[in-house]
Amino acid sequence: MTSTRIETLSLTDGRELRVTIAEPDSAVRGGLVVLHEARGMTSGTRTLVSSLADEGWLAIAPHLYDEDRVHGDDIQDQVSKLSGDRLLADTDVAFVWLGQQGVSADRMGVVGFDTGGTVAMVVAASRTIGAAVTVQGPGILEPLSDGLPALVDVAGDLTCPWLGIYRDDESEEVSKLRDAVISSETASDVVRFDVSSDEAWSRALNWFDAHMR
């Protein structure tokens, strides 16, 4: 499995952003910004970054919290403080870094799990990139924080091909999200799988392959 490393990037507001990066050994197919779950930068996120590099993607995961990991009641407290403007600033820095490595905007994508999946859809509705994938992103009808929109409210604003992967159940919220993305002017889809299945992983990779050539 490809190894990862941590770098520190500077933001225009004076902050410094830590990022976890993995580079493929072979030719770079494109670049993916990986957004972590509510618990922060977990070993699972690092494994995902490494696995994407194994597939030929230059992967970069911004550390969206001041601390890498949060636990217990601190998780909800951290999520409630999330700001769309700050998150977009953080992901913009990651996209700039990918551009500096020679990746064009149409070959840049974003993928997120859990809270990161919510942020990935917000990015997909705010930035012009190649494609986006959300896995089990909450906050569909009610915002996760005062600084984030509900996903149904930005579904019609998607500016890049977006795929939503949710658990295989009959969630009314997911059905409403599917109805909402129909109004967007780009390719979009909501599918239901066991989110830990190989099929879900393949579907995500195929989405990027199809839309980031």
Side-chain angles (χ1 to χ4, degrees):
M1 183 171 287
T2 304
S3 61
T4 63
R5 69 177 189 273
I6 295 177
E7 291 190 7
T8 300
L9 306 178
S10 298
L11 286 84
T12 56
D13 62 6
R15 291 186 295 119
E16 291 187 331
L17 177 68
R18 299 178 75 215
V19 295
T20 293
I21 294 168
E23 300 186 45
D25 293 330
S26 57
V28 175
R29 307 170 70 173
L32 293 177
V33 175
V34 181
L35 301 175
H36 61 67
E37 59 179 291
R39 293 179 298 165
M41 186 59 64
T42 63
S43 60
T45 301
R46 290 191 293 272
T47 297
L48 174 62
V49 171
S50 180
S51 296
L52 289 169
D54 288 341
E55 296 288 338
W57 299 99
L58 179 56
I60 175 171
H63 297 211
L64 302 177
Y65 300 159
D66 293 333
E67 299 179 8
D68 283 350
R69 288 289 307 275
V70 292
H71 305 274
D73 294 339
D74 291 337
I75 296 175
Q76 184 55 44
D77 181 62
Q78 188 68 60
V79 171
S80 69
K81 295 176 181 177
L82 290 175
S83 160
D85 290 341
R86 176 168 172 168
L87 292 169
L88 287 172
D90 290 352
T91 53
D92 282 348
V93 167
F95 289 131
V96 168
W97 183 86
L98 288 173
Q100 292 171 342
Q101 313 312 308
V103 180
S104 58
D106 61 339
R107 293 193 301 123
M108 295 181 191
V110 60
V111 55
F113 291 75
D114 183 54
T115 300
T118 304
V119 178
M121 189 172 187
V122 173
V123 172
S126 307
R127 298 292 184 264
T128 302
I129 53 176
V133 173
T134 289
V135 182
Q136 201 58 27
I140 295 175
L141 301 183
E142 296 293 333
L144 289 183
S145 72
D146 291 340
L148 288 173
L151 295 187
V152 292
D153 292 337
V154 298
D157 299 327
L158 290 169
T159 59
C160 71
W162 173 84
L163 172 67
I165 299 176
Y166 284 85
R167 289 195 179 93
D168 189 14
D169 57 29
E170 295 303 317
S171 167
E172 182 179 355
E173 287 191 350
V174 175
S175 296
K176 289 183 177 179
L177 182 60
R178 177 186 285 112
D179 292 341
V181 299
I182 293 174
S183 63
S184 68
E185 297 181 358
T186 187
S188 59
D189 196 9
V190 176
V191 296
R192 289 172 171 170
F193 292 118
D194 174 349
V195 295
S196 63
S197 71
D198 291 341
E199 187 175 6
W201 170 249
S202 297
R203 189 68 173 263
L205 292 177
N206 289 341
W207 188 262
F208 288 124
D209 286 339
H211 297 287
M212 292 165 55
R213 295 179 179 275

